[in-house]
Amino acid sequence: MNTTTTTRPAPTHRPDRQRPARRTVSQANRGYLFVAPFLIFFAALFVVPLLYAAYLSLFKERLVGGTAFVGLDNYSRALGDDQLIGGVLRVARFFLLQVPVMLALALLAALAIDSGLLRLSRAFRLGIFVPYAVPSVVATLMWGYLYGPDYGPFAQLADKIGASTPQFLTSGHMLGALANIVTWEFTGYNMIILYAALRSIPHELYEAAAMDGAGSWRIAWSIKIPALRPALLLCVLFSVIGSFQLFAEPNLIQRLAPNVIDSSYTPNLYTYSLAFTSQDVNYAAAVSFLLGLVIVVASCLVLFLANRRTRS
């Protein structure tokens, strides 16, 4: 009896089409887990205090009746506050005085280093950048000692040569003295940004310009500076924010010239005085929000002017 055995083909395993989707979902969840610590700290240290400040700005502490909801009364009061408006205008003048000088020095330093013709370029670059590593408090104390009308080196030198003592800390020279401190601190920071942008320019452009007979000055004016416009715009935006947040320098110099720098010399100094000296936390919160709005408007204005100039 012949028996025939039939062999059945082994079952083929079809690929599971749902596995990639599960892996994708798992990878997405892992991404959220990696980002979660930053989001938690960002919400705890920035979003929550910001919302709490907005909440405080809607109330007012009264002698009779305690804390009362006043809506936008603190904001309307701030819009008519002469001390706040004077501080904002003073900081705007500071920006127009200090930022062009600082960016011009940073641009010249970046171009000099990138040219390759500067001797000891590493030491020069380090020497310009080191002041940025010095804390603002230390830098202000150092320059305050140099500005001193009685014991400062400039005053002693003027006394030895029989000249009049330089009046750096008078009302007519105070903005210039503060601008000098900030320029000394942040020129190196902006120089690094501009120098990094210069390093990203293709060298083929320089070679083509040199073959056409362009010299170093022509290459810098026609190729390097136009290519630095985005980096310069970034530096200007950072300078807008930094100028309206000016606090450490006038706060320390105030000890040397209390008759020149008062509690409302800058908006940040005025807000600090309202919150911690006058104990008017609610009004200080409203002033802070208006100051943030001024910074946003000023930054948008700079971007608008830059984009308009680029299109034209």
Side-chain angles (χ1 to χ4, degrees):
M1 183 176 179
N2 295 329
T3 60
T4 59
T5 59
T6 58
T7 59
R8 297 180 180 179
T12 57
H13 296 281
R14 296 181 179 179
D16 191 359
R17 297 180 179 178
Q18 296 181 352
R19 287 183 180 179
R22 292 178 180 176
R23 290 180 181 177
T24 303
V25 173
S26 178
Q27 292 176 357
N29 292 333
R30 292 176 184 175
Y32 287 121
L33 289 177
F34 279 110
V35 179
F38 167 76
L39 294 178
I40 293 173
F41 280 101
F42 180 78
L45 300 178
F46 182 78
V47 177
V48 174
L50 193 65
L51 294 177
Y52 182 65
Y55 171 79
L56 289 177
S57 66
L58 303 177
F59 291 85
K60 184 177 181 179
E61 188 75 22
R62 295 178 177 176
L63 295 177
V64 179
T67 304
F69 178 78
V70 294
L72 300 178
D73 288 351
N74 288 326
Y75 293 93
S76 61
R77 173 189 170 189
L79 291 176
D81 193 339
D82 293 335
Q83 291 181 310
L84 176 62
I85 296 174
V88 171
L89 294 178
R90 188 177 296 109
V91 167
R93 293 202 309 270
F94 172 86
F95 172 81
L96 296 176
L97 172 68
Q98 184 264 334
V99 172
V101 176
M102 179 184 66
L103 293 185
L105 293 175
L107 177 60
L108 291 176
L111 290 174
I113 296 172
D114 187 69
S115 66
L117 303 176
L118 188 66
R119 295 182 180 180
L120 301 176
S121 60
R122 293 184 178 179
F124 178 76
R125 179 173 51 188
L126 182 62
I128 295 180
F129 183 74
V130 161
Y132 176 70
V134 177
S136 298
V137 174
V138 177
T140 306
L141 291 176
M142 180 189 70
W143 280 101
Y145 167 73
L146 296 176
Y147 289 154
D150 300 324
Y151 51 81
F154 294 115
Q156 294 179 6
L157 179 61
D159 182 64
K160 289 182 179 180
I161 63 176
S164 59
T165 303
Q167 301 296 323
F168 296 111
L169 303 180
T170 58
S171 58
H173 300 85
M174 182 58 72
L175 275 182
L178 294 174
N180 178 61
I181 298 174
V182 176
T183 301
W184 185 82
E185 289 178 306
F186 291 98
T187 297
Y189 173 77
N190 291 280
M191 181 269 294
I192 290 296
I193 295 177
L194 298 177
Y195 178 67
L198 285 173
R199 300 296 294 174
S200 64
I201 300 176
H203 287 275
E204 290 79 6
L205 296 177
Y206 303 153
E207 296 175 357
M211 292 179 63
D212 292 338
S216 300
W217 289 102
R218 185 65 179 176
I219 292 175
W221 181 260
S222 301
I223 297 177
K224 293 184 178 181
I225 294 180
L228 286 177
R229 287 180 180 176
L232 284 171
L233 178 60
L234 180 65
C235 293
V236 171
L237 290 177
F238 286 163
S239 300
V240 169
I241 298 173
S243 297
F244 282 94
Q245 290 182 347
L246 189 64
F247 175 76
E249 291 81 4
N251 186 35
L252 292 174
I253 295 295
Q254 185 181 20
R255 276 70 173 175
L256 299 176
N259 296 327
V260 178
I261 299 180
D262 55 7
S263 60
S264 61
Y265 194 78
T266 65
N268 259 5
L269 195 60
Y270 184 49
T271 306
Y272 176 84
S273 176
L274 288 172
F276 297 100
T277 303
S278 302
Q279 298 297 320
D280 195 351
V281 179
N282 304 104
Y283 183 54
V287 170
S288 300
F289 269 90
L290 286 180
L291 179 60
L293 180 61
V294 169
I295 294 175
V296 171
V297 171
S299 302
C300 292
L301 181 61
V302 170
L303 289 174
F304 173 76
L305 294 176
N307 294 330
R308 184 178 180 182
R309 184 176 181 181
T310 302
R311 293 175 183 176
S312 61

